[in-house]
Amino acid sequence: MTSTRDQEIQRRTELSVTRVTKAVFPNTTNHHNTLFGGTALAWMDEVSFIAATRFCRLPLVTVSTDRIDFKHPIPAGSIVELVGTVVKVGNTSLQVQVDVFVENMYLDGRERAIHGVFSFVAIDEDKRPVPVLAEA
């Protein structure tokens, strides 16, 4: 039997999935003509923050990132889609998985290039942790 809290987490998770699509232009690439890792991480942090905020609608801070796996280089001239999904909900914290998919602008198909998990804590005006879900 699913609890009311579990049902609310499921509902909020579905509503908070965040997708951002970007084009990889020369100003975001390194000397190998591929996306800077730091730029990818910044994009991933932003998408994870948006998904987390949509989930709880509270002020949040990033507290950690789990392992970030760079599976494939992302060449200049590619399209990338970042997908952020809440994957774990604690009392004052939550985790958001971000997958970055790469596709050629002129060919069908795409593949996952980067995967990572970001952890957030909800805070009050004094920067103290608060519950991510209101008590029922």
Side-chain angles (χ1 to χ4, degrees), residues 88-130:
K88 185 176 180 186
V89 179
N91 180 33
T92 61
S93 65
L94 50 89
Q95 290 184 332
V96 178
Q97 174 180 300
V98 179
D99 291 306
V100 180
F101 298 93
V102 60
E103 61 186 273
N104 183 296
M105 284 190 186
Y106 308 109
L107 299 172
D108 288 336
R110 70 182 196 165
E111 62 183 332
R112 187 170 74 171
I114 309 172
H115 169 82
V117 177
F118 294 73
S119 297
F120 295 87
V121 169
I123 57 171
D124 63 15
E125 58 277 350
D126 296 320
K127 311 290 190 259
R128 288 187 299 245
V130 296

Short mmCIF file of all heavy atoms in Angstrom, two decimals, residues 88-130:
data_model
loop_
_atom_site.label_atom_id
_atom_site.label_comp_id
_atom_site.label_asym_id
_atom_site.label_seq_id
_atom_site.Cartn_x
_atom_site.Cartn_y
_atom_site.Cartn_z
N LYS A 88 15.37 10.96 -5.43
CA LYS A 88 15.35 10.60 -4.02
C LYS A 88 14.90 11.80 -3.21
O LYS A 88 15.36 12.92 -3.45
CB LYS A 88 16.73 10.14 -3.56
CG LYS A 88 16.77 9.65 -2.14
CD LYS A 88 18.14 9.10 -1.77
CE LYS A 88 18.15 8.62 -0.34
NZ LYS A 88 19.50 8.21 0.09
N VAL A 89 14.01 11.55 -2.25
CA VAL A 89 13.49 12.62 -1.41
C VAL A 89 13.72 12.24 0.05
O VAL A 89 13.26 11.19 0.50
CB VAL A 89 11.99 12.87 -1.66
CG1 VAL A 89 11.46 13.97 -0.75
CG2 VAL A 89 11.75 13.21 -3.13
N GLY A 90 14.44 13.09 0.76
CA GLY A 90 14.64 12.90 2.19
C GLY A 90 13.74 13.84 2.96
O GLY A 90 12.73 14.32 2.45
N ASN A 91 14.14 14.15 4.18
CA ASN A 91 13.35 15.09 4.99
C ASN A 91 13.61 16.52 4.54
O ASN A 91 12.68 17.24 4.17
CB ASN A 91 13.68 14.91 6.48
CG ASN A 91 12.88 15.86 7.36
OD1 ASN A 91 11.75 16.20 7.05
ND2 ASN A 91 13.49 16.32 8.44
N THR A 92 14.88 16.94 4.54
CA THR A 92 15.22 18.31 4.14
C THR A 92 16.00 18.35 2.83
O THR A 92 16.37 19.42 2.37
CB THR A 92 16.06 19.01 5.24
OG1 THR A 92 17.28 18.27 5.42
CG2 THR A 92 15.30 19.10 6.55
N SER A 93 16.25 17.19 2.26
CA SER A 93 17.09 17.13 1.06
C SER A 93 16.42 16.34 -0.05
O SER A 93 15.46 15.60 0.20
CB SER A 93 18.43 16.49 1.38
OG SER A 93 18.26 15.15 1.76
N LEU A 94 16.93 16.52 -1.24
CA LEU A 94 16.50 15.70 -2.37
C LEU A 94 17.63 15.59 -3.36
O LEU A 94 18.56 16.38 -3.36
CB LEU A 94 15.22 16.24 -3.01
CG LEU A 94 15.12 17.70 -3.40
CD1 LEU A 94 15.61 17.91 -4.81
CD2 LEU A 94 13.67 18.12 -3.32
N GLN A 95 17.54 14.55 -4.19
CA GLN A 95 18.55 14.31 -5.22
C GLN A 95 17.90 14.36 -6.59
O GLN A 95 16.79 13.85 -6.77
CB GLN A 95 19.22 12.96 -5.03
CG GLN A 95 20.11 12.89 -3.82
CD GLN A 95 20.84 11.56 -3.72
OE1 GLN A 95 20.36 10.54 -4.19
NE2 GLN A 95 22.00 11.58 -3.10
N VAL A 96 18.62 14.95 -7.52
CA VAL A 96 18.15 15.08 -8.89
C VAL A 96 19.19 14.44 -9.82
O VAL A 96 20.36 14.78 -9.77
CB VAL A 96 17.94 16.55 -9.29
CG1 VAL A 96 17.50 16.67 -10.75
CG2 VAL A 96 16.94 17.23 -8.36
N GLN A 97 18.72 13.51 -10.63
CA GLN A 97 19.57 12.90 -11.66
C GLN A 97 19.47 13.75 -12.91
O GLN A 97 18.38 14.17 -13.30
CB GLN A 97 19.06 11.50 -11.95
CG GLN A 97 19.75 10.81 -13.09
CD GLN A 97 19.19 9.42 -13.31
OE1 GLN A 97 19.24 8.59 -12.42
NE2 GLN A 97 18.63 9.19 -14.48
N VAL A 98 20.62 13.99 -13.53
CA VAL A 98 20.64 14.72 -14.79
C VAL A 98 21.34 13.86 -15.83
O VAL A 98 22.46 13.39 -15.61
CB VAL A 98 21.36 16.09 -14.66
CG1 VAL A 98 21.37 16.80 -16.02
CG2 VAL A 98 20.69 16.95 -13.61
N ASP A 99 20.66 13.65 -16.94
CA ASP A 99 21.23 12.96 -18.08
C ASP A 99 21.36 13.97 -19.21
O ASP A 99 20.44 14.75 -19.47
CB ASP A 99 20.34 11.80 -18.52
CG ASP A 99 20.35 10.67 -17.51
OD1 ASP A 99 21.44 10.21 -17.15
OD2 ASP A 99 19.27 10.26 -17.06
N VAL A 100 22.52 13.95 -19.86
CA VAL A 100 22.76 14.84 -20.99
C VAL A 100 22.87 13.98 -22.24
O VAL A 100 23.72 13.08 -22.32
CB VAL A 100 24.06 15.66 -20.80
CG1 VAL A 100 24.29 16.58 -22.00
CG2 VAL A 100 24.00 16.45 -19.50
N PHE A 101 21.98 14.24 -23.19
CA PHE A 101 21.95 13.50 -24.44
C PHE A 101 22.52 14.37 -25.55
O PHE A 101 22.27 15.57 -25.58
CB PHE A 101 20.52 13.09 -24.79
CG PHE A 101 19.90 12.18 -23.78
CD1 PHE A 101 19.15 12.68 -22.73
CD2 PHE A 101 20.09 10.80 -23.86
CE1 PHE A 101 18.59 11.84 -21.78
CE2 PHE A 101 19.54 9.95 -22.92
CZ PHE A 101 18.79 10.47 -21.88
N VAL A 102 23.27 13.77 -26.46
CA VAL A 102 23.87 14.49 -27.57
C VAL A 102 23.31 13.94 -28.87
O VAL A 102 23.08 12.73 -29.00
CB VAL A 102 25.41 14.41 -27.55
CG1 VAL A 102 25.90 12.98 -27.63
CG2 VAL A 102 26.03 15.25 -28.66
N GLU A 103 23.08 14.85 -29.81
CA GLU A 103 22.63 14.44 -31.14
C GLU A 103 23.26 15.35 -32.19
O GLU A 103 23.50 16.52 -31.95
CB GLU A 103 21.11 14.45 -31.25
CG GLU A 103 20.46 15.79 -31.03
CD GLU A 103 18.95 15.72 -31.01
OE1 GLU A 103 18.34 15.81 -32.11
OE2 GLU A 103 18.38 15.60 -29.93
N ASN A 104 23.51 14.77 -33.33
CA ASN A 104 24.02 15.51 -34.47
C ASN A 104 22.87 16.35 -35.03
O ASN A 104 21.74 15.89 -35.11
CB ASN A 104 24.52 14.52 -35.53
CG ASN A 104 25.14 15.21 -36.72
OD1 ASN A 104 24.48 15.94 -37.46
ND2 ASN A 104 26.42 14.95 -36.92
N MET A 105 23.16 17.59 -35.40
CA MET A 105 22.11 18.47 -35.92
C MET A 105 21.47 17.94 -37.20
O MET A 105 20.33 18.26 -37.49
CB MET A 105 22.67 19.87 -36.18
CG MET A 105 22.88 20.68 -34.95
SD MET A 105 23.24 22.39 -35.41
CE MET A 105 23.62 23.07 -33.80
N TYR A 106 22.21 17.14 -37.96
CA TYR A 106 21.73 16.77 -39.28
C TYR A 106 21.46 15.28 -39.45
O TYR A 106 21.21 14.82 -40.56
CB TYR A 106 22.73 17.26 -40.34
CG TYR A 106 23.03 18.73 -40.13
CD1 TYR A 106 24.27 19.14 -39.66
CD2 TYR A 106 22.05 19.69 -40.35
CE1 TYR A 106 24.53 20.50 -39.43
CE2 TYR A 106 22.30 21.04 -40.12
CZ TYR A 106 23.54 21.43 -39.66
OH TYR A 106 23.79 22.76 -39.42
N LEU A 107 21.51 14.52 -38.35
CA LEU A 107 21.24 13.09 -38.41
C LEU A 107 20.27 12.70 -37.31
O LEU A 107 20.25 13.31 -36.23
CB LEU A 107 22.54 12.28 -38.23
CG LEU A 107 23.64 12.51 -39.26
CD1 LEU A 107 24.92 11.79 -38.83
CD2 LEU A 107 23.19 12.02 -40.63
N ASP A 108 19.48 11.66 -37.54
CA ASP A 108 18.58 11.16 -36.51
C ASP A 108 19.38 10.42 -35.44
O ASP A 108 20.48 9.94 -35.70
CB ASP A 108 17.55 10.18 -37.11
CG ASP A 108 16.51 10.90 -37.95
OD1 ASP A 108 16.28 12.11 -37.73
OD2 ASP A 108 15.91 10.24 -38.83
N GLY A 109 18.78 10.31 -34.27
CA GLY A 109 19.37 9.53 -33.19
C GLY A 109 20.08 10.40 -32.18
O GLY A 109 20.45 11.54 -32.45
N ARG A 110 20.23 9.82 -30.99
CA ARG A 110 20.97 10.50 -29.93
C ARG A 110 21.50 9.46 -28.97
O ARG A 110 21.06 8.31 -28.96
CB ARG A 110 20.08 11.51 -29.21
CG ARG A 110 19.00 10.90 -28.35
CD ARG A 110 18.16 11.97 -27.72
NE ARG A 110 17.36 11.42 -26.62
CZ ARG A 110 16.76 12.13 -25.70
NH1 ARG A 110 16.84 13.44 -25.76
NH2 ARG A 110 16.08 11.57 -24.74
N GLU A 111 22.47 9.88 -28.13
CA GLU A 111 23.00 8.97 -27.13
C GLU A 111 23.29 9.76 -25.85
O GLU A 111 23.50 10.97 -25.90
CB GLU A 111 24.27 8.27 -27.61
CG GLU A 111 25.43 9.18 -27.91
CD GLU A 111 26.64 8.42 -28.46
OE1 GLU A 111 26.80 7.23 -28.14
OE2 GLU A 111 27.41 9.03 -29.21
N ARG A 112 23.26 9.04 -24.73
CA ARG A 112 23.56 9.68 -23.46
C ARG A 112 25.06 9.91 -23.38
O ARG A 112 25.85 8.99 -23.53
CB ARG A 112 23.08 8.83 -22.29
CG ARG A 112 23.22 9.57 -20.96
CD ARG A 112 22.54 8.87 -19.84
NE ARG A 112 23.34 7.71 -19.46
CZ ARG A 112 23.10 6.98 -18.39
NH1 ARG A 112 22.07 7.24 -17.62
NH2 ARG A 112 23.87 5.95 -18.11
N ALA A 113 25.44 11.17 -23.16
CA ALA A 113 26.86 11.53 -23.11
C ALA A 113 27.35 11.74 -21.68
O ALA A 113 28.50 11.47 -21.38
CB ALA A 113 27.09 12.79 -23.93
N ILE A 114 26.48 12.26 -20.81
CA ILE A 114 26.88 12.58 -19.43
C ILE A 114 25.74 12.19 -18.49
O ILE A 114 24.57 12.33 -18.83
CB ILE A 114 27.20 14.08 -19.26
CG1 ILE A 114 28.18 14.58 -20.31
CG2 ILE A 114 27.74 14.36 -17.85
CD1 ILE A 114 28.37 16.09 -20.32
N HIS A 115 26.13 11.72 -17.31
CA HIS A 115 25.16 11.33 -16.28
C HIS A 115 25.69 11.79 -14.93
O HIS A 115 26.88 11.64 -14.65
CB HIS A 115 24.98 9.81 -16.29
CG HIS A 115 24.21 9.29 -15.13
ND1 HIS A 115 22.85 9.29 -15.10
CD2 HIS A 115 24.61 8.76 -13.95
CE1 HIS A 115 22.44 8.77 -13.96
NE2 HIS A 115 23.49 8.44 -13.24
N GLY A 116 24.83 12.35 -14.10
CA GLY A 116 25.25 12.75 -12.76
C GLY A 116 24.07 12.96 -11.84
O GLY A 116 22.92 13.04 -12.29
N VAL A 117 24.35 13.04 -10.55
CA VAL A 117 23.32 13.25 -9.53
C VAL A 117 23.75 14.43 -8.66
O VAL A 117 24.90 14.50 -8.21
CB VAL A 117 23.11 11.98 -8.68
CG1 VAL A 117 22.08 12.24 -7.58
CG2 VAL A 117 22.66 10.82 -9.55
N PHE A 118 22.82 15.32 -8.41
CA PHE A 118 23.04 16.53 -7.61
C PHE A 118 22.15 16.48 -6.37
O PHE A 118 20.97 16.12 -6.47
CB PHE A 118 22.72 17.78 -8.43
CG PHE A 118 23.64 17.98 -9.60
CD1 PHE A 118 23.56 17.18 -10.72
CD2 PHE A 118 24.62 18.97 -9.55
CE1 PHE A 118 24.43 17.36 -11.80
CE2 PHE A 118 25.49 19.15 -10.62
CZ PHE A 118 25.40 18.34 -11.74
N SER A 119 22.70 16.87 -5.23
CA SER A 119 21.94 16.87 -3.97
C SER A 119 21.69 18.30 -3.52
O SER A 119 22.59 19.15 -3.58
CB SER A 119 22.70 16.12 -2.88
OG SER A 119 22.86 14.77 -3.25
N PHE A 120 20.48 18.54 -3.03
CA PHE A 120 20.05 19.86 -2.58
C PHE A 120 19.46 19.77 -1.18
O PHE A 120 18.91 18.74 -0.79
CB PHE A 120 18.96 20.42 -3.51
CG PHE A 120 19.45 20.69 -4.90
CD1 PHE A 120 19.44 19.69 -5.85
CD2 PHE A 120 19.95 21.93 -5.24
CE1 PHE A 120 19.91 19.92 -7.14
CE2 PHE A 120 20.42 22.17 -6.52
CZ PHE A 120 20.40 21.16 -7.47
N VAL A 121 19.54 20.88 -0.45
CA VAL A 121 18.88 21.02 0.83
C VAL A 121 18.00 22.26 0.75
O VAL A 121 18.43 23.32 0.27
CB VAL A 121 19.90 21.15 1.99
CG1 VAL A 121 19.22 21.56 3.29
CG2 VAL A 121 20.65 19.83 2.17
N ALA A 122 16.76 22.11 1.25
CA ALA A 122 15.85 23.25 1.34
C ALA A 122 16.22 24.07 2.57
O ALA A 122 16.56 23.50 3.62
CB ALA A 122 14.40 22.75 1.44
N ILE A 123 16.18 25.39 2.43
CA ILE A 123 16.58 26.26 3.53
C ILE A 123 15.54 27.34 3.79
O ILE A 123 14.76 27.71 2.91
CB ILE A 123 17.96 26.91 3.27
CG1 ILE A 123 17.94 27.71 1.95
CG2 ILE A 123 19.05 25.86 3.28
CD1 ILE A 123 19.19 28.56 1.72
N ASP A 124 15.57 27.88 5.03
CA ASP A 124 14.70 28.99 5.38
C ASP A 124 15.48 30.30 5.22
O ASP A 124 16.62 30.31 4.73
CB ASP A 124 14.12 28.83 6.79
CG ASP A 124 15.18 28.83 7.90
OD1 ASP A 124 16.35 29.25 7.65
OD2 ASP A 124 14.85 28.41 9.02
N GLU A 125 14.87 31.40 5.65
CA GLU A 125 15.50 32.72 5.48
C GLU A 125 16.79 32.87 6.29
O GLU A 125 17.62 33.72 5.99
CB GLU A 125 14.52 33.85 5.80
CG GLU A 125 13.95 33.80 7.21
CD GLU A 125 12.76 32.87 7.37
OE1 GLU A 125 12.22 32.38 6.36
OE2 GLU A 125 12.37 32.60 8.51
N ASP A 126 16.98 32.00 7.30
CA ASP A 126 18.21 32.02 8.09
C ASP A 126 19.22 30.98 7.60
O ASP A 126 20.19 30.67 8.30
CB ASP A 126 17.89 31.78 9.57
CG ASP A 126 17.04 32.90 10.16
OD1 ASP A 126 17.29 34.08 9.83
OD2 ASP A 126 16.10 32.58 10.92
N LYS A 127 18.95 30.42 6.44
CA LYS A 127 19.83 29.41 5.81
C LYS A 127 19.87 28.10 6.60
O LYS A 127 20.84 27.35 6.50
CB LYS A 127 21.26 29.94 5.62
CG LYS A 127 21.35 31.30 4.95
CD LYS A 127 20.94 31.25 3.51
CE LYS A 127 21.25 32.55 2.79
NZ LYS A 127 20.12 33.42 2.61
N ARG A 128 18.83 27.81 7.36
CA ARG A 128 18.74 26.54 8.10
C ARG A 128 17.87 25.57 7.31
O ARG A 128 16.89 25.96 6.66
CB ARG A 128 18.14 26.77 9.48
CG ARG A 128 19.09 27.49 10.44
CD ARG A 128 18.52 27.53 11.83
NE ARG A 128 17.25 28.25 11.84
CZ ARG A 128 17.05 29.41 12.46
NH1 ARG A 128 17.99 29.97 13.17
NH2 ARG A 128 15.87 29.99 12.39
N PRO A 129 18.20 24.27 7.38
CA PRO A 129 17.42 23.26 6.64
C PRO A 129 15.96 23.23 7.09
O PRO A 129 15.66 23.39 8.28
CB PRO A 129 18.11 21.95 7.00
CG PRO A 129 19.49 22.33 7.39
CD PRO A 129 19.37 23.68 8.05
N VAL A 130 15.08 23.04 6.11
CA VAL A 130 13.63 22.90 6.39
C VAL A 130 13.12 21.71 5.58
O VAL A 130 13.72 21.31 4.59
CB VAL A 130 12.85 24.18 6.01
CG1 VAL A 130 13.27 25.37 6.87
CG2 VAL A 130 13.00 24.50 4.53
#
